[in-house]
Amino acid sequence: MIQRSSVIIDPKKSKRFVQFLNSSGKNKEFWEDVKKGASAKVDKKELDKLFEK
């Protein structure tokens, strides 16, 4: 099951966290691609075929 969660970042550490995100290669474009993929419609028949294999 997928569940939404929230994280609160200490303002004193937020600059360091942003630096980490920028250095990890997961930029805004990456997250937009993830969002696009996650919002795609799923073909249930195709999904069932994958689980059968």
Side-chain angles (χ1 to χ4, degrees):
M1 175 182 282
I2 298 173
Q3 186 175 19
R4 184 179 293 250
S5 64
S6 298
V7 176
I8 298 173
I9 301 167
D10 182 349
K12 295 176 187 173
K13 296 182 181 179
S14 62
K15 182 178 179 183
R16 192 167 147 208
F17 182 71
V18 169
Q19 289 173 337
F20 165 75
L21 288 178
N22 289 335
S23 67
S24 69
K26 294 180 174 137
N27 58 15
K28 186 174 182 172
E29 182 180 340
F30 171 85
W31 291 112
E32 288 296 322
D33 287 344
V34 169
K35 181 180 175 183
K36 183 179 173 184
S39 64
K41 297 214 183 265
V42 175
D43 180 357
K44 184 158 177 10
K45 290 179 183 177
E46 186 66 28
L47 187 63
D48 288 341
K49 287 179 187 177
L50 292 172
F51 278 111
E52 288 173 4
K53 291 181 182 180

